[in-house]
Amino acid sequence: MTDVLIRAATPDDVHVWRALRMDGILRHPQAFIVTAEEAAAVPAEQDAKRLSNGDRFMAFIDGVAVGLIGLNQQDMPRAAHRGEIGPLYVVPGARGKGIADGLLTAAMDAAQSMGVWQIELSVFVENAPAIALYERHGFELAGKIPNAIAGADGFEDDLIMIRIFDRP
């Protein structure tokens, strides 16, 4: 029996979070805005502090971390109704089991509890599985950013997707 748990990440998860995020960056550099070198340069204490905010979630199968997601609320008062999803990563062996759906749902629920009613994200134009995930959860295409990321093979375009909940 496979036991799946999705929960808020805590500072105690910092080393597992960092390892999982690094795995994602190395496997799919086009899906992350930071490089492996930039991620490694962030002190673990800074990541631990970020994990204390209740806006990062992790998925576990039988106690093993297999996925993560972050939610970033805009910190300026006039934009506090907006949040951004990122990063989102599920290890290859755990894909197709609803983990990404569960992580995205957890982040969207947290956003609404924080007063966020507009969630935004950017996604690599060629990442069809991620685009399908976001569409399943009500995200709509809002635009395209040409040359969004300098990738290994040149500049890559991103799509901007938005989900708007009922305003409070």
Side-chain angles (χ1 to χ4, degrees):
M1 178 74 182
T2 301
D3 189 20
V4 177
L5 170 69
I6 295 176
R7 64 164 174 78
T10 71
D12 291 338
D13 297 314
V14 69
H15 297 295
V16 176
W17 173 275
R18 288 169 63 91
L20 194 55
R21 181 181 62 190
M22 185 62 73
D23 182 63
I25 293 168
L26 293 172
R27 289 179 190 264
H28 305 286
Q30 74 282 2
F32 290 79
I33 198 160
V34 299
T35 65
E37 295 78 18
E38 292 165 340
V42 174
E45 297 78 21
Q46 185 176 332
D47 280 335
K49 183 178 179 188
R50 185 67 173 136
L51 294 179
S52 69
N53 294 340
D55 57 5
R56 299 285 187 264
F57 298 87
M58 297 179 72
F60 298 84
I61 294 179
D62 297 328
V64 177
V66 296
L68 57 79
I69 193 168
L71 169 67
N72 305 293
Q73 184 176 18
Q74 296 291 328
D75 56 4
M76 299 304 293
R78 292 179 2 147
H81 64 283
R82 296 172 50 209
E84 181 180 14
I85 295 293
L88 170 57
Y89 175 64
V90 176
V91 299
R95 294 179 188 161
K97 299 178 181 180
I99 303 294
D101 288 288
L103 286 165
L104 186 55
T105 297
M108 291 191 310
D109 290 348
Q112 290 182 296
S113 72
M114 295 163 46
V116 170
W117 51 265
Q118 179 170 304
I119 302 178
E120 306 158 7
L121 59 88
S122 61
V123 59
F124 180 46
V125 295
E126 295 179 20
N127 192 343
I131 293 166
L133 166 73
Y134 300 133
E135 288 175 339
R136 272 196 315 274
H137 286 268
F139 285 81
E140 296 180 354
L141 181 64
K144 180 178 172 181
I145 302 174
N147 308 308
I149 300 288
D153 297 323
F155 286 91
E156 301 167 354
D157 298 343
D158 277 357
L159 300 177
I160 299 298
M161 300 183 80
I162 295 177
R163 165 80 191 264
I164 299 175
F165 298 99
D166 292 334
R167 294 180 189 185

